[in-house]
Amino acid sequence: MISISDSAAEKIKEMLAAEELPNLFLRIGVKEGGCSGFSYGMGFDDEQDSTDKVLEVNGLKVVVDEESNKYLYGVEIDYKDVGMGGGFTINNPNAIASCGCGQSFRTKPEDEVLAEKCDD
């Protein structure tokens, strides 16, 4: 469902270790907003809801809320360390448009996303 590159996983593990809290995991989500319709959210959390989807991705515990799950199917997360720039990038095959900064996107209609997910 979600893939995380080796470089992104290493950076996330490094950041988790710096937090020094044993029960933290990576939470990835989507919320309405941003210039294209939806915005990504990615951060550390230690609380989980019974409806959350829990994944093990490249050695990381990744949690996605039920509503965001349908928009994140097939997402690829990468990390590039490039001078003063760089950072995490998200490639979302469900996005049909995104803003210049890459932090917000518009998706295919929900029925098309669900149909593709069922075909896999």
Side-chain angles (χ1 to χ4, degrees), residues 12-114:
I12 293 166
K13 288 174 186 174
E14 178 184 307
M15 294 166 70
L16 276 168
E19 292 293 323
E20 298 179 354
L21 297 170
N23 297 321
L24 286 180
F25 52 82
L26 179 65
R27 179 174 289 280
I28 302 172
V30 170
K31 63 181 179 178
E32 288 189 31
C35 54
S36 294
F38 292 100
S39 295
Y40 297 108
M42 190 166 83
F44 300 134
D45 198 351
D46 62 356
E47 292 184 25
Q48 194 175 308
D49 190 66
S50 63
T51 59
D52 286 340
K53 180 156 181 96
V54 180
L55 309 164
E56 179 75 23
V57 183
N58 208 350
L60 294 165
K61 179 180 178 180
V62 179
V63 176
V64 179
D65 66 88
E66 185 176 33
E67 185 64 23
S68 296
N69 189 42
K70 62 187 165 202
Y71 299 111
L72 295 174
Y73 186 79
V75 159
E76 300 168 350
I77 299 172
D78 194 12
Y79 181 82
K80 301 223 187 296
D81 193 8
V82 185
M84 293 182 68
F88 291 99
T89 60
I90 298 175
N91 178 24
N92 187 340
N94 302 306
I96 58 171
S98 62
C99 67
C101 68
Q103 294 300 309
S104 72
F105 67 99
R106 186 171 28 143
T107 186
K108 301 172 188 174
E110 187 175 330
D111 56 341
E112 287 182 35
V113 172
L114 293 175

